[in-house]
Amino acid sequence: MGGMASCSNYAKSSYTNSATEQQQTQWHKPNFGWFKCNVDAGFHNVEGKTSLGLCVRDHDGRFVVAGTSWMYGNCCIIEGEAMALINAMREVERIGLSNVIFETDSISMVDAIHHRLNDISEFSSLIVMIKNVL
């Protein structure tokens, strides 16, 4: 990805498991010259789909771009959140944005990005992909 990028979370309190880790606080504008891309995943087990979403705003909080997509098949929450981030990173790169802060409500994913994982799970593979782009 051209330019700088980072990944942060806006979940402020502790959690006990991945189903309860997602907690929201107020959105804050990025610094001048930066963009903020909020990402999330939705899970539709009956339909057998996972939805991925992104919304980019500039330093004044103005809308820049948003998008959604579907993945067929059920995945666990943490893998869906990672796929939403990968999808958003690809879209931001495709439209040529730089200086982007990626924000998610998944504490586990942010922790995994900022720390070393020592397993060979599908999630670990997704985190390696994310780190390679950041």
Side-chain angles (χ1 to χ4, degrees):
M1 174 184 297
M4 300 174 67
S6 67
C7 186
S8 65
N9 70 304
Y10 61 100
K12 298 297 182 195
S13 49
S14 62
Y15 59 93
T16 56
N17 65 45
S18 61
T20 61
E21 79 171 50
Q22 300 169 343
Q23 300 179 19
Q24 300 176 356
T25 61
Q26 185 176 355
W27 185 86
H28 298 283
K29 297 176 188 176
N31 290 334
F32 181 81
W34 282 77
F35 297 91
K36 188 175 279 188
C37 178
N38 292 88
V39 301
D40 204 3
F43 303 91
H44 313 274
N45 294 331
V46 173
E47 294 87 1
K49 297 179 184 178
T50 301
S51 58
L52 313 174
L54 69 103
C55 181
V56 178
R57 294 185 180 273
D58 68 11
H59 60 266
D60 285 324
R62 290 181 301 224
F63 172 81
V64 175
V65 67
T68 60
S69 61
W70 291 93
M71 279 185 350
Y72 289 95
N74 296 324
C75 60
C76 70
I77 291 171
I78 194 72
E79 289 174 358
E81 296 288 347
M83 289 302 300
L85 178 56
I86 291 168
N87 185 64
M89 293 168 80
R90 288 177 178 157
E91 179 63 14
V92 163
E93 183 176 38
R94 186 188 70 76
I95 63 175
L97 290 181
S98 59
N99 297 339
V100 178
I101 299 166
F102 293 91
E103 192 169 68
T104 178
D105 60 359
S106 175
I107 294 169
S108 295
M109 185 173 59
V110 173
D111 286 347
I113 290 167
H114 292 291
H115 299 92
R116 185 178 180 99
L117 293 178
N118 293 320
D119 63 46
I120 56 171
S121 68
E122 180 68 22
F123 176 64
S124 291
S125 298
L126 296 171
I127 293 302
V128 168
M129 289 174 61
I130 291 166
K131 286 181 175 184
N132 286 336
V133 176
L134 286 176

